[in-house]
Amino acid sequence: MPEELIYADRSDRAKLRVSGPQSAWFLDQILTQSFQDMALGEARDAALITVHGRMTGYLEAVRTAEGFLLHLEPDRGASVASTLERYVLSTQVDIDDITQEMGLVLVVGPSWREAASGAELAALQPTASLGVDAGYLWIRSAATASLLESIARSGGRVAGDNELEAIRISNGIARWGRDMDEKTFPQEAGVDERAVHYDKGCYLGQEAMAKIHFRGKVNRRLARLRAASPVTPGSEVTLDGTGIGKITSASEASALAMIRYSVTEGAKVTIGDVTAEVVG
């Protein structure tokens, strides 16, 4: 975990504002997470799933005085917004695309909250996306450059995507478009503990989630691998000559792979001609 303060401009992420007197109730009916019991400033992850339980989008949300601010991978914004809008009907809720209106700065390190000192933020949002202390600073697009300069003056260091990916991968955190997609169940990617609420009322895909939860397992899972040398995403993972999955993310010799659920920690596997161990 980095002790120094590092940061990155993540303003290219898709951003939505969901507001109105029924916004929490509305999101509860559509997404896997519970929103009605969220406190002001609290952040949670959530998934949008089909009736069969497969994900069509993954997002992070923070509660504000006006409603909720959501952000997700750039290529998911339009489709998720379209799906949400389809269910509005007569509900008292407004959904706005604020991708251009708002900037988003990722700050990593134990003192990430202090990085926002003096800035007029729309929200201060903790994030579990790297598996370490980190948060997103929501700010008006016009003020983003000034915020970045302020963080740099305070001793923050710009982090590239490769460095951030290395942190995420080492902590076994799934990312949309890398380790999970439209074919993935939340339980396979290991995101259900922070993105699925099993005790709330009905929502889109709830029956499928309940069946998987009470059955106790899925057929595959996201695992951490430690290889003898660097590996690349897309490479096949084999055990005793039999294919058991593929590498989904990699940073040098550290990797994530979607493999058979029955393959346990400590198993010795092969990635091409590289040996590796399942470490999580």
Side-chain angles (χ1 to χ4, degrees):
M1 173 179 172
E3 292 299 321
E4 65 175 329
L5 193 72
I6 60 176
Y7 67 96
D9 187 350
R10 286 280 180 89
S11 298
D12 64 329
R13 288 180 64 79
K15 311 175 202 74
L16 303 174
R17 177 173 54 231
V18 181
S19 57
Q22 292 184 294
S23 56
W25 177 88
F26 171 76
L27 290 174
D28 253 16
Q29 311 310 302
I30 311 300
L31 301 175
T32 57
Q33 186 56 271
S34 174
F35 291 84
Q36 296 192 79
D37 60 345
M38 285 178 66
L40 187 67
E42 185 177 356
R44 293 180 182 175
D45 290 10
L48 178 64
I49 62 176
T50 68
V51 293
H52 301 295
R54 298 187 188 277
M55 290 187 282
T56 58
Y58 191 85
L59 58 87
E60 297 182 44
V62 60
R63 187 158 201 170
T64 68
E66 293 74 31
F68 299 86
L69 297 177
L70 320 178
H71 67 92
L72 55 163
E73 296 289 347
D75 65 341
R76 288 287 95 185
S79 62
V80 169
S82 177
T83 300
L84 292 177
E85 289 166 355
R86 190 187 317 146
Y87 290 100
V88 170
L89 302 177
S90 59
T91 307
Q92 297 178 52
V93 63
D94 294 307
I95 301 170
D96 300 296
D97 186 332
I98 56 171
T99 302
Q100 302 305 315
E101 176 185 336
M102 300 298 299
L104 197 61
V105 179
L106 173 65
V107 187
V108 185
S111 61
W112 72 267
R113 292 176 183 274
E114 284 68 48
S117 178
E120 188 175 343
L121 300 179
L124 186 70
Q125 178 217 316
T127 180
S129 59
L130 298 179
V132 296
D133 284 339
Y136 280 102
L137 313 182
W138 289 79
I139 193 166
R140 293 285 175 181
S141 292
T144 303
S146 177
L147 175 60
L148 294 170
E149 292 171 1
S150 175
I151 297 172
R153 286 196 301 270
S154 299
R157 175 177 62 79
V158 176
D161 194 55
N162 288 342
E163 180 177 1
L164 295 171
E165 282 292 272
I167 297 171
R168 176 184 72 83
I169 293 167
S170 68
N171 287 290
I173 307 297
R175 182 176 178 180
W176 182 269
R178 276 80 164 173
D179 316 290
M180 48 184 174
D181 56 25
E182 292 89 347
K183 298 179 181 179
T184 313
F185 294 110
Q187 293 88 344
E188 292 176 328
V191 298
D192 56 310
E193 290 186 3
R194 67 176 187 273
V196 178
H197 196 289
Y198 289 106
D199 298 323
K200 71 169 185 169
C202 294
Y203 59 92
L204 183 65
Q206 187 232 4
E207 184 177 352
M209 287 295 93
K211 285 181 178 179
I212 295 173
H213 182 58
F214 290 113
R215 188 178 67 188
K217 72 176 185 67
V218 284
N219 293 326
R220 56 182 192 157
R221 69 182 183 91
L222 190 68
R224 290 190 299 118
L225 273 60
R226 183 170 57 239
S229 58
V231 295
T232 57
S235 300
E236 185 178 22
V237 182
T238 62
L239 176 63
D240 298 328
T242 300
I244 59 167
K246 290 187 180 296
I247 299 296
T248 55
S249 291
S251 175
E252 296 298 328
S254 178
L256 298 179
M258 190 65 74
I259 63 174
R260 290 181 185 174
Y261 187 87
S262 58
V263 179
T264 59
E265 184 175 346
K268 307 298 183 182
V269 299
T270 303
I271 307 163
D273 59 357
V274 178
T275 58
E277 180 182 357
V278 177
V279 294

